[in-house]
Amino acid sequence: MAGYMNRATLIGNLGQDPEIRNMQSGERVASFTLATTESWKDKRSGDRQERTEWHRVVVWNEGLIGVLEDYVHKGDKVMVEGMLKTRKWVDQAGNERYTTEIVLSGFNGQLIMLGSPNGAARGEGEPASRTRTGTQTQTQTRTQAAAPSDGGYTPSGGDLDDEIPFGPCVD
Amino acid sequence: MAGYMNRATLIGNLGQDPEIRNMQSGERVASFTLATTESWKDKRSGDRQERTEWHRVVVWNEGLIGVLEDYVHKGDKVMVEGMLKTRKWVDQAGNERYTTEIVLSGFNGQLIMLGSPNGAARGEGEPASRTRTGTQTQTQTRTQAAAPSDGGYTPSGGDLDDEIPFGPCVD
Amino acid sequence: MAGYMNRATLIGNLGQDPEIRNMQSGERVASFTLATTESWKDKRSGDRQERTEWHRVVVWNEGLIGVLEDYVHKGDKVMVEGMLKTRKWVDQAGNERYTTEIVLSGFNGQLIMLGSPNGAARGEGEPASRTRTGTQTQTQTRTQAAAPSDGGYTPSGGDLDDEIPFGPCVD
Amino acid sequence: MAGYMNRATLIGNLGQDPEIRNMQSGERVASFTLATTESWKDKRSGDRQERTEWHRVVVWNEGLIGVLEDYVHKGDKVMVEGMLKTRKWVDQAGNERYTTEIVLSGFNGQLIMLGSPNGAARGEGEPASRTRTGTQTQTQTRTQAAAPSDGGYTPSGGDLDDEIPFGPCVD
DNA sequence: TTTT
DNA sequence: TTTT
C-alpha cells in the first residue's frame, strides 16, 4: 500500500531466446526483448500500416527464470508485467546513457506463456535440457556482438553496482 | 484486436507543471514527468528504504491536453495510462540516443486526476486562465535549464520529423 | 477523464462458442463464458490444487463481434478487457436477481486472440462462413436449455429495456 | 505463471466505512462497496448522463485490513485490484444466489489510498483509534439494515463454509 | 462449459 | 530481433 503504481503490461513476441546471466551475488537474471506491433489504417492512403516497438524485459524472479529457461524461446508469445525502471550507464565514450526496462522481480512480476508461433512447445512439452551450455554461451556471444543493434547499448560492466542484464556475463 | 498489448499504468505525482507545445502540424502535445516512489524494508538493516522512479509522459490527445492545461499542476497526483514508445534522437555531440516515454494518444490514453497535494484544485476548481503565456514560457525555460535532472536529455530539435516533446518549442 | 476506473482484465478459455444475438435496436451482442483457472500448492497436503472461475463476457462492439463470429471458438484462449456491470433481472419465481458481467463496448473493450487449444485456427485461418445459421441456432437452443447450469439465470425477456445477452433471442 | 489472468482494477469511492469481521479460523476479512461513476453525453439530447456502478470488495490480506481499519473511510477514493470471484449462497427462501466480488488476498491484491473527499486524512493523519468498537458495531448494523440498497443481498450465514463477508459477524 |  |  504505497500510493503509487508503476506497471507495464505487454503481450508480444520474444526477439530472441531469453539470456540468463549469473550475478556475483549468486542471483540470476534473465533478459530478452519483446516486440509489440500496432497496426492501423493510414487516413490518407487507406493502407494498412504497422509499427513494431521493442521492449527490454529483465527478470529477477528465480521462479520465472526457471520457466523462461525451460519453456520460453525466441518467437514465443508471452504476457509480461513488471515495473518500469530507467537505468543509467556510461558508454565507451564516457557518455551517460539511460535505458528503460520492464523489470519483473519478487511479487511485482508476472509472466504468462501464450504459445509458440508454430503451435509446438505450448508449455506442455518436456523442459529443455538444463545443460544447454553451448546454446547459452552462443547466445551470450551473439548478444555481445550484436550490442549496437539493440540501441547502441554497451554497459560499462565491472563492479557490483553494475550487475546489469544485456551486458557481458560476470561469471 | 491485434494480438498485442503495450501498456503502462502509473499513479504518481507530477514533477512540474505540464508543458504544452504547438506542433507545426497544428497539433498540440503536452508532456510532464511523473514520479512513482516504491518503498520497502531493507533486509539487513530493517530500515525503510525508498526509491523514486521518474517517467516521461507525453500526451497527444487534445481532450486530455485541455484537462492538463486547466486542472493539473506540479505535485498533483494522477493516474496515466498509455503506450510505451522508445524514441531515437541525436544529441549535440552527434550521438544517437534513446528515450522511452509513456505516450497517450487517441483512445490508447487515459488520465485520471487524483488530487493536489494541498487538497485544493481537486478538479472542481475553476480552470486556470488559458492566457498564462508567462507561466508557460517560464516553465519551458526552467525545464530546459533543469534538463540534466531529468536524465541529461537534450533533443536535437529542428525539422518536422523532430517534433518531440521536452524540447524547444517550434512555434 | 472521469476520476474513476472500472476495468476487468481476463486471460482464459471460452466455455462455448460465442453466442450472437440480434437486438430489436438493430445492434448485435455477443456473449460467452470465460474460464480462468488458478492453481496453488495446498499448505498441509502439498498437493497441487486448482479452482476455475467462470466469467460472463458481453460484447457490444460490432468490430469485436465480427472477430468473435469469424475466428473465436469454444476452448480458445483470449484476453478480454472491459467494464464490470451488475445487471438486475427477475427470475421466473419473481425474485430479483443480480448478475455481474464483463462488458466490452465502444472504446472500453479490448479482445486479443491468444490461440486455439489445438494450435489450429490461430487467427490466420480463413474466416468461418458467415452463413452458419445452423450452428448459431443450435448454439442458442443449447444455451437456453442449459440456462440453469450457468447459475440459474433466466432473464425475464421482453421489452426493450430487457435486451440482455445470455437469454432468449428476440429476432 | 499459470496461463491465466483474473484481475479487476477499480478506482472509486467507498460507499461506507470498511466492515471488518473475525472469522472462526482466526483470520479477519474486510469488505466494503465501491462506487465507480461513468459519465457520457447522450447522443440525442446532448445531456450529460451518468451512471454509478457498485462493486463489492473483499479483503483477506491482513496488511491491507490494517490500513483499511486505520485510514480508510466512507467516501474516500481508493484504487483496488483483485480477483473476480463469484460466490454461491442460499437466500432465506432457499434459493441459490450468486454474488460476484473483487477479492484481494495474498499477493493478488493491491490497495492505494487516493484521498478523502474533504482533503483530510490523506494517509498522513494519525490512525483512528483501534478501539472504535462502537463505530464498528454501528457500521455492521447499518449495513445489514441497508442490505436491500446493495443488491438485496442477504447471505445465509452460519457454518464455517459460509464465512462470507457482507453478512452477520460470527464472533 | 474451457484449459493445463 | 519477433510476430501477423
Side-chain angles (χ1 to χ4, degrees), chain B residues 91-111:
Chain B
D91 71 14
Q92 291 174 321
N95 302 309
E96 291 186 348
R97 290 177 177 278
Y98 295 83
T99 297
T100 301
E101 294 161 336
I102 293 90
V103 179
L104 286 69
S105 62
F107 297 102
N108 287 309
Q110 212 171 336
L111 186 148

Side-chain angles (χ1 to χ4, degrees), chain A residues 14 33 38:
Chain A
L14 278 85
T33 55
E38 59 173 331

Side-chain angles (χ1 to χ4, degrees), chain A residues 1-5 7 9 64 67 79 81 107 110-114, chain D residues 1-5 7 9 64 67 79 81 107 110-114:
Chain A
M1 215 300 306
Y4 296 94
M5 174 174 243
R7 176 189 289 169
T9 309
L64 295 182
V67 171
M79 186 280 248
E81 193 163 86
F107 298 102
Q110 212 170 335
L111 186 147
I112 297 180
M113 295 188 297
L114 298 169
Chain D
M1 215 301 305
Y4 296 94
M5 176 173 240
R7 177 189 289 169
T9 309
L64 295 182
V67 170
M79 186 280 247
E81 193 163 85
F107 298 102
Q110 213 171 335
L111 186 148
I112 298 181
M113 295 189 297
L114 298 169

Side-chain angles (χ1 to χ4, degrees), chain C residues 4 6 41 47 61 70 85 102 110 130 134 143:
Chain C
Y4 297 93
N6 173 359
K41 256 188 195 134
D47 291 353
N61 178 311
D70 289 342
K85 292 200 178 173
I102 292 90
Q110 212 170 335
R130 293 251 180 186
T143 303

